[in-house]
Every structure is written in C-alpha cells, then in structure tokens.
Amino acid sequence: MFNKRWFRVLVLLAFVPLGWFSVGQVARPIAAEAKSQYEDIRLFTDVLSIVRKSYVEEVDMKDLIYGAINGMLASLDPHSSFMPPDVYREMKIDTRGEFGGLGIEITIKDGILTIVSPIEDTPAYRAGLQAGDQIFKIEDRFTKDLSIMDAVKLMRGPKGSKINITIMRESFEKPREFLLTREIIKIHSVKSRTLEDGYGYVRLAQFQERSSDELQAALKKLRKENGGSLKGLVLDLRNNPGGLLDQAVKVSDSFLADGLIVYTDGREQGSRMEFNAHPKGTEDDYPMVVLINGGSASASEIVSGALQDHERAIIMGTQSFGKGSVQTIIPLSDDSGLRLTTARYYTPRGTSIQATGITPDILVSQVEVNKSEEGAHFREKDLKNHIETPDVKSEEAVEADPHKFDLESTDRRDYQLMRALDLLKGLHIFKDLKTPAA
C-alpha cells in the first residue's frame, strides 16, 4: 500500500543534494537517528523473545503484543488508549447512543480513575454519582494503574447484573460503596421544553451522530409552541462529557451565521483544520444563555467557547472540565482500534482550554432552593381595616392570560436554570425599554 509519509521522506531526501546542504551534512544525523531507532526496536524484540522463552508460563503472542501496546499508550496521556476488538465494537455503538453499562463518562486525573460526568437517566445518575467522584474500586479490584478501557470493560455487563463501585468524594470522610444495576443505556441526546411563554430550554446530554438533527427538531418544536419565534433560549450543557467533534461544530453553526467555530493544531498536516459557520439554517438572533459546570467537557467546551468568543451567548455556571484535545479513532488490521490524541483544539480567539476549561461570563454555583412556605411574608392586605381597591376596569384594560406554560417543580429547584431564565427575561425587558415607541 502506498505510504504518503514515506513518500514525503523520499522526496525530501531526493532533493537535498540540489540545495545548499551537502549530502555529508545530512547523512550522518539521519544515519545516527535511524541507528538509534533500530536499537530501541531491537531492545523491544529482545525483551519479547526473552519473555516468550523464559517466563514461568507460556503466554499467547497476541496478549504480549496487546500488553505492550497498552503500556506504550498509557505513557502518553489519559485519553489515548488501545481498544481490543470487543471494546472497539462497543465504542462504535456508544456514538450511536445505545450501549450496556452504568452510564458514566470517566477519565484518569492525577493517576486516579475519575468521573467526568454521569449521563442523565442512567443507573449512575440515579444513584447520585457526581462529576469529580473518584472511583477507588470496581468490585474487589483497585483502580490504581487501571486503564480507562480496562475500567470500561469491568463496568460493562449484561442488563440486570449488579456491580459494586467504591467512590471517594470531597464531602465523604471515607470511601463509600454504591451498588448499581446495569441497564441497556439508551441516550436521547437532546431534550427540550418551554419554560415560560416565549422562553425555550434545550438540554444536550451528549454529542452523538444525530445530535445536530435532534437539536434542529427541538428548536422547530419550541418555535411552534411559542407562536413562531422565541424571546430567549437556555442551552444546557451541564454534565455533558462531549462526543463527536463534527456534531459540536454543527450545533455551534446552528447559532452562528459566519466566522470561525474551532480550529485544531497538531504535528501531522491533516490534524491542522479549521471549522467555520455558514449562514444557511442559522437561528434568529434571540438572547441565549449556555449553562456549563465541571462536568461539561470536550465538545461541550467547543460549543460554549465558540458562542462566548462570538458574543452570541452568555455563559453561566461554573468552570468547565478543561479537555482541549482531539482524539482520532484509527481502525487496525485485526478489528481492534486506536484512540490517539492527535491535536489540541482552540476557540475562535485562539484560546486553548486544555487543563483550564471555559470560564463562565457569570459565575453561578448550584445551590439547593426551597420553596417559601405560604404565609411567610406579611403584606398590606393582612393589616386590620386596610383600604380595599375598587373593582374597576378601564376600557383599555386587558385581562391577563393564564400561564400557558408552568415551570416544573424540578426547574424551580434548579438555581442555575432559574438565574438563566431571569437573565433572559431581564434582557428582553431591557431591549423593549431601549426600543422607541412608534
């Protein structure tokens, strides 16, 4: 098979004598480097031969090769990994939105297996696992030095089977066990509803193959519910662990008419890419608030970074996770796969969020909101002999329409969401005040 990389090397070497470098000047370093690389490879083959010949038990050659590849990738970064055929098949299923397991996105942070985000409506989410939780044990196996792929394999299993996960959290005095029951995880990446008349809410749980299409359908439904247009929109990316880069670009493009969305930069020429917005299909320029938190990672940060840099939306919440690298999935000859970090991505203004995250425009931490008890406030009408207001209606008076949409009780307890809605309503009022009467 034609190898472009070697072709480039051959072209370079063929043209060196024609330049101002002499052959002697370049031959020695190249020869020395080639010799060094050969000696390194020979060291590996020597160890492989010794293990096969002298290890106390006979070991399958493929197991040794897989182990060596795993070790090599583990020396890189937490997001590069080798996927044996069964894990590679599971990964391809994940991006389609259905898989078996617990429903958590994990990474390795400071050498500890850590939850990036629990996925909504899954066993992990319902059990109360949180972003930032450290997984100390899976069943009886400690997770120290356990790769992400090995951890995934341990946590996957048949529907209905139970598994013990030992978790450490800042608020825990000691690690705590959680007994979870595995399910077939079916992720609906987009959920939407009208919060109040004219104000829409879209929750994007993960970036999958059809997330952009689902978003378009959700926005169309919201417009229809609200007389054809929106006064404002809350885009909720909290606890969204990321997903497919192309979907992050398409979601951003839905709200941007032009300009750079994101660009990537790496060592290979093919890893240097730019993604731009297009005017076709762009949403109206209504006010937007994007909610993020520590569980918002990767593709979520691409979207929030693009909308923030273009001043298309106000970012609210807490600092995001800070995963600013791009992983390329490379299929291998035996149906296994390689997940390799090949580039960093940058927001339109050239900011890398790797290990830092997206900083919200308005910092709002999540707090518990309790509904005030009736009668807790003393009002004028409670005073003895208070003056009644005559029941007189002017001809211009218009009776207030009953609320077409009622906030759900879970919405009212969501402090960050309520602040986002308040901000959108305030922006709408301010816009009306600035608009002169005809």
Side-chain angles (χ1 to χ4, degrees), residues 167-179:
I167 296 293
M168 186 60 192
R169 189 180 297 167
E170 281 190 13
S171 59
F172 292 172
E173 293 183 2
K174 60 180 181 180
R176 187 179 300 176
E177 281 192 1
F178 288 78
L179 180 63

Side-chain angles (χ1 to χ4, degrees), residues 306-322:
L307 299 183
Q308 184 180 53
D309 281 7
H310 283 283
E311 300 181 355
R312 175 61 185 88
I314 295 171
I315 312 301
M316 180 183 286
T318 56
Q319 197 82 5
S320 64
F321 183 77

Side-chain angles (χ1 to χ4, degrees), residues 51-52 55 57-64:
V51 170
R52 291 197 70 199
Y55 184 65
E57 295 177 352
E58 186 174 348
V59 185
D60 182 77
M61 183 65 167
K62 179 164 281 191
D63 290 341
L64 291 174

Side-chain angles (χ1 to χ4, degrees), residues 374-417:
E374 288 296 325
H377 297 284
F378 191 68
R379 298 181 174 87
E380 169 73 14
K381 68 177 182 179
D382 299 314
L383 295 174
K384 186 178 180 181
N385 297 326
H386 66 269
I387 301 173
E388 296 286 351
T389 301
D391 188 16
V392 178
K393 294 183 181 180
S394 73
E395 292 182 1
E396 292 87 10
V398 179
E399 284 197 28
D401 292 330
H403 284 296
K404 184 179 178 182
F405 304 98
D406 291 323
L407 283 169
E408 298 177 5
S409 59
T410 52
D411 291 338
R412 295 185 184 280
R413 292 195 298 270
D414 188 338
Y415 182 74
Q416 291 171 323
L417 177 58

Side-chain angles (χ1 to χ4, degrees), residues 199-393:
Y199 297 97
Y201 170 86
V202 173
R203 163 73 180 147
L204 193 52
Q206 200 170 16
F207 290 84
Q208 300 167 349
E209 286 181 356
R210 290 186 49 79
S211 293
S212 175
D213 293 338
E214 290 180 23
L215 173 65
Q216 293 300 324
L219 292 171
K220 182 179 179 181
K221 176 175 173 286
L222 287 172
R223 287 194 298 270
K224 185 177 180 181
E225 288 178 354
N226 291 278
S229 63
L230 293 173
K231 298 176 185 175
L233 177 73
V234 177
L235 179 61
D236 191 350
L237 299 179
R238 291 174 297 178
N239 295 322
N240 182 322
L244 301 176
L245 173 62
D246 71 311
Q247 292 299 305
V249 170
K250 289 180 179 179
V251 168
S252 302
D253 197 2
S254 298
F255 302 105
L256 298 172
D258 54 37
L260 187 63
I261 292 173
V262 65
Y263 69 93
T264 65
D265 193 12
R267 292 174 60 208
E268 289 283 344
Q269 186 174 356
S271 65
R272 299 185 182 110
M273 298 181 289
E274 291 186 358
F275 301 90
N276 292 280
H278 307 88
K280 184 178 179 181
T282 304
E283 283 290 297
D284 293 337
D285 193 25
Y286 45 69
M288 280 183 66
V289 174
V290 177
L291 291 176
I292 62 171
N293 64 5
S296 307
S298 190
S300 301
E301 294 169 304
I302 289 176
V303 173
S304 49
L307 299 183
Q308 184 180 53
D309 281 7
H310 283 283
E311 300 181 355
R312 175 61 185 88
I314 295 171
I315 312 301
M316 180 183 286
T318 56
Q319 197 82 5
S320 64
F321 183 77
K323 181 183 177 294
S325 59
V326 178
Q327 284 66 49
T328 301
I329 305 301
I330 304 168
L332 302 176
S333 58
D334 66 342
D335 294 327
S336 60
L338 187 65
R339 186 200 304 265
L340 188 67
T341 299
T342 54
R344 290 182 175 88
Y345 68 76
Y346 299 82
T347 69
R349 292 181 181 172
T351 303
S352 171
I353 58 89
Q354 175 61 27
T356 58
I358 296 291
T359 301
D361 299 308
I362 302 176
L363 182 65
V364 178
S365 299
Q366 188 68 289
V367 296
E368 186 68 25
V369 178
N370 296 314
K371 185 178 179 182
S372 299
E373 294 182 7
E374 288 296 325
H377 297 284
F378 191 68
R379 298 181 174 87
E380 169 73 14
K381 68 177 182 179
D382 299 314
L383 295 174
K384 186 178 180 181
N385 297 326
H386 66 269
I387 301 173
E388 296 286 351
T389 301
D391 188 16
V392 178
K393 294 183 181 180

